[in-house]
């Protein structure tokens, strides 16, 4: 077995068949190289019966676990599913994570495998809402989502050029979601597995990988279709985000969607801190700490980190000048115009600086 897909499942009678059908239709893989783990937890609908009917007819092997646990939450369930995938694989292989209400494209596993073969330790894909369900959402949500996507892509290109990661070059993205995430078994174990936290376990997991100096590829060519429903199975998931934005259209955007000047300031400082760290000068030069208004004790803690990712993250936490100030949706059109005007200059300058 070279790859195992791990899926936490709770009350997905309406969607689990489509999810499994998409996995059973994967192409470009050696025979017998793919398996699926289904971690059914606290199911009270017909999910278990549907799975019992479908699994014997699938062409890929499937291992099913049934658990009833009062303390269940999304992070715990995803960790349990991925731990079982790691046990199945043994010392080598790739764990893939998706959701029971998702449909992966036929080349999903193959594309993730190719990215790992090119040197990545983990791969994060992107999501798109089911088109039929997306059409039922209010126009205001479409307006906001489209502009957030446009602005995020503009900022991501600026970040990738100012503070480049050779293992995650532009074009890339900054989506981190358990519906399309893959990782080598060795990298998974190196960071202690998926964090068993109630919310944001996928983002926390990728942050752990990056902080440890592991290579995460955010591949824009990998896209998975997810549900556009308003009532989800896990607090803090896509459904909660959609519903919250329907109820509060002016709620703030994600933390990374800052104004263009603040974003460029952040990326430039990340670049400088990484280079000082690589040269061993964080501990001997403290001009950076004064410029970022970081106290002496905090600066010493930043400089003590052996890994650049840890040092940069610590500096961002300690500096009042690097506090995230996300935009409201009404600010997006103006900032998109600014970003489009500034990005050609960013491309020119970074090409010159190298």
């Amino acid at each position: 077995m070279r790859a195992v897909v791990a899926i936490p499942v709770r009350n997905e009678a309406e969607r689990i068949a489509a999810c499994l059908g998409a996995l059973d239709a994967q192409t470009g893989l050696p025979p017998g190289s793919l398996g699926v783990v289904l971690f059914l937890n606290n199911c009270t609908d017909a999910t278990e019966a549907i799975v019992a009917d479908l699994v014997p007819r699938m062409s890929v092997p499937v291992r099913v676990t049934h658990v009833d646990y009062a303390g269940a939450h999304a992070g715990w369930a995803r960790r349990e599913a991925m731990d079982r995938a790691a046990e199945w694989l043994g010392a080598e292989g790739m764990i893939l994570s998706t959701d029971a209400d998702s449909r992966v494209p036929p080349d999903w596993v193959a594309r993730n495998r190719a990215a790992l073969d090119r040197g990545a330790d983990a791969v994060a894909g992107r999501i798109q809402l089911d088109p039929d369900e997306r059409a039922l959402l209010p126009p205001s949500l479409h307006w906001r989502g489209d502009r957030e996507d446009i602005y995020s892509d503009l900022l991501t290109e600026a970040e990738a050029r100012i503070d480049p990661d050779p293992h995650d070059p532009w074009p890339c993205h900054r989506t981190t979601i358990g519906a399309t995430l893959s990782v080598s078994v060795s990298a998974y174990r190196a960071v202690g597995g998926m964090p068993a936290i109630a919310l944001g376990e996928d983002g926390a997991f990728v942050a752990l990988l990056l902080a440890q100096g592991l290579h995460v590829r955010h591949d824009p060519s990998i896209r998975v279709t997810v549900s556009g429903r308003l009532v989800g199975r896990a607090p803090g998931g896509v459904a909660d985000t959609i519903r919250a934005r329907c109820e509060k259209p002016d709620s703030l955007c994600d933390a990374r969607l800052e104004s263009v000047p603040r974003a460029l300031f952040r990326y430039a400082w990340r670049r400088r801190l990484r280079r000082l760290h690589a040269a061993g000068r964080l501990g001997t030069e403290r001009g950076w700490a004064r410029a970022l208004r970081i106290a002496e004790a905090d600066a010493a803690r930043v400089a003590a980190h052996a890994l650049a990712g840890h040092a940069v993250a610590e500096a961002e936490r300690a500096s009042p000048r690097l506090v995230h100030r996300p935009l409201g949706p009404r600010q997006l059109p103006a900032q998109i115009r600014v970003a489009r005007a500034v990005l050609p200059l960013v491309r020119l300058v970074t090409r010159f600086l190298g």
Side-chain angles (χ1 to χ4, degrees), residues 21-40:
L23 290 171
D24 207 29
Q26 292 298 292
T27 60
L29 304 175
S33 64
L34 179 65
V36 176
V37 165
L38 297 179
F39 183 74
L40 278 60

Side-chain angles (χ1 to χ4, degrees), residues 52-63:
D53 178 63
L54 289 173
V55 165
R57 296 186 276 121
M58 293 180 63
S59 62
V60 297
V62 182
R63 293 184 178 182

Side-chain angles (χ1 to χ4, degrees), residues 260-270 291-292 319 321-322:
V260 171
R262 286 194 65 81
L264 296 183
F265 180 82
R266 183 181 305 281
Y267 306 152
W269 269 105
R270 285 177 180 170
L292 293 174
S319 172
R321 300 193 68 189
L322 294 175

Side-chain angles (χ1 to χ4, degrees), residues 134-194:
R134 186 180 189 276
L136 301 176
L137 298 174
S140 61
L141 198 66
H142 295 305
W143 183 92
R144 173 175 179 158
D146 291 344
R147 279 148 190 82
E148 283 184 328
D149 288 346
I150 292 168
Y151 191 52
S152 178
D153 286 344
L154 291 167
L155 290 186
T156 299
E157 182 180 354
E159 180 185 19
R161 294 186 184 280
I162 294 170
D163 181 30
D165 179 350
H167 302 284
D168 194 20
W170 178 257
C172 54
H173 64 89
R174 288 296 176 263
T175 300
T176 301
I177 189 164
T180 174
L181 189 62
S182 65
V183 61
S184 69
V185 171
S186 58
Y188 183 76
R189 292 185 173 131
V191 298
M194 177 65 61

Side-chain angles (χ1 to χ4, degrees), residues 265-285:
F265 180 82
R266 183 181 305 281
Y267 306 152
W269 269 105
R270 285 177 180 170
R271 175 190 176 106
R272 182 176 176 186
L273 290 170
R274 287 187 214 282
R275 289 168 189 256
L276 285 171
H277 184 278
R281 291 160 48 197
L282 274 181
T284 58
E285 297 183 16

Side-chain angles (χ1 to χ4, degrees), residues 94-163:
M94 173 178 64
I95 305 167
L96 300 105
S97 168
T98 191
D99 292 334
D101 66 329
S102 302
R103 300 192 308 276
V104 302
D107 60 353
W108 182 64
V109 174
R111 282 184 179 273
N112 277 276
R113 178 76 266 170
L116 262 66
D117 288 343
R118 288 192 295 268
D121 296 300
V123 185
R126 304 190 79 167
I127 61 168
Q128 58 192 18
L129 293 183
D130 177 276
D132 292 335
E133 294 180 343
R134 186 180 189 276
L136 301 176
L137 298 174
S140 61
L141 198 66
H142 295 305
W143 183 92
R144 173 175 179 158
D146 291 344
R147 279 148 190 82
E148 283 184 328
D149 288 346
I150 292 168
Y151 191 52
S152 178
D153 286 344
L154 291 167
L155 290 186
T156 299
E157 182 180 354
E159 180 185 19
R161 294 186 184 280
I162 294 170
D163 181 30

